[in-house]
Amino acid sequence: MTLTGKHVIVTGGGSGAGAEIAHTFVTAGAKVTIMGRNAEKLAAQKLAYQVCDVSDPAAIKLAFGAAREQNGAISVVVANAGATESVPFAKMSPEAFNANLAVNLTGVAFSFQAALDDMKDAGWGRMIAIASTAGLKGYPYVSGYCAAKHGVVGLTRSLSLELARTGITVNAICPGFLETPMLERSIENMVEKTGMDREAAAGTLRKINPQNRFVQPREVAETALWLCSDGAASVNGHALSLSGGEI
C-alpha cells in the first residue's frame, strides 16, 4: 500500500513503538512528523519533528499548527505517547492519577481534535490510538494507567460513531506487554521492589502472553499501517488486541 502525499503525525515518536510506527509510515511514502518531549531523541530519528508535551492541550495545538505549516494538512494521527507508574492504589496521589489521565487520555483526545478539521475537509482521515490491554482488562498496581487506557477505548468508540459518515475512522490498538523502553522500566521496578533477578522479572511478565513472548513494536506499526489501507475502511470503533490471546 502507499500513503504518498499523506501527512502522518506520530506522538511519542522519539523511541520504542512510536519510532517504529513513524519509520514504517515513511516506508509507505507518507510525510511524517514525530512529536515528543525529548528533542534529542526526536532528532535522532532523522524525521521532521516538533517538541510537544501532549499533557498540555495548548502545546498540542501549537505543535500541530507548526507541523501543518511544514508538511501540509494532516491525514493520519497515531496517538502513541504514553507513560505509566506502578504504585499501590492506597498510595496513589491525586497528582499521579491526574498525570496518568493527562498523558494517556487527554493527550489522545486533543491530538485527535487538533487534526479533525483537516480530515473533515479532505473527507478522509485515520485516528489511531495506541492504547493497551490495560484498556480492556485490569492489572494490579497500575490503576491510574488502566483507568486512562479504558478511557481511550471509550473515546475511540464514541468518536467513531460521531465521525462515521465523514470518511474518518477511529480505532485503538491494544498491545499486551510491548518490548519497549517503558517495559524495561517496569522490569527494573519489579527487580527493585521484589528482589527478583532481571530474567525472572521479565519471565513473569512474558508468560502473561499465552504465546510466552513480548509483543514487538513492528507488530503495532504494521497494524497501524493496515488501518490506513482501503481494506480497513470499515474497521471503525475497534479496540484491536495484540496480545497473543491474552485478550
Side-chain angles (χ1 to χ4, degrees), residues 204-225:
T204 298
L205 298 180
R206 190 182 295 114
K207 69 183 180 182
I208 293 173
N209 183 319
Q211 295 176 332
N212 195 35
R213 68 182 183 90
F214 294 133
V215 181
Q216 296 302 304
R218 185 71 181 176
E219 297 174 83
V220 178
E222 293 287 355
T223 302
L225 187 63

Side-chain angles (χ1 to χ4, degrees), residues 4 53-54 113 124 130 145 167 227:
T4 301
D53 181 350
V54 299
Q113 189 184 73
W124 189 94
I130 307 303
Y145 181 76
L227 286 171

Side-chain angles (χ1 to χ4, degrees), residues 15-136:
S15 63
E20 186 72 32
I21 291 165
H23 288 288
T24 297
F25 275 84
V26 168
T27 300
K31 297 177 289 184
V32 175
T33 304
I34 57 175
M35 295 185 183
R37 293 179 292 185
N38 189 314
E40 185 176 351
K41 288 183 178 179
L42 294 171
Q45 300 304 322
K46 302 187 183 305
L47 300 171
Y49 72 87
Q50 296 292 328
V51 176
C52 178
D53 181 350
V54 299
S55 67
D56 180 354
I60 292 173
K61 187 173 182 180
L62 287 172
F64 273 62
R68 186 180 292 109
E69 288 183 9
Q70 184 177 17
N71 276 328
I74 300 160
S75 303
V76 178
V77 174
V78 183
N80 167 75
T84 186
E85 180 182 1
S86 178
V87 62
F89 178 73
K91 295 182 178 180
M92 184 173 61
S93 68
E95 292 78 14
F97 185 77
N98 287 330
N100 263 294
L101 295 182
V103 173
N104 296 302
L105 175 55
T106 305
V108 174
F110 287 97
S111 293
F112 285 169
Q113 189 184 73
L116 180 57
D117 286 346
D118 287 354
M119 295 182 187
K120 281 185 172 180
D121 288 346
W124 189 94
R126 295 291 181 265
M127 297 180 176
I128 303 168
I130 307 303
S132 167
T133 48
L136 303 173

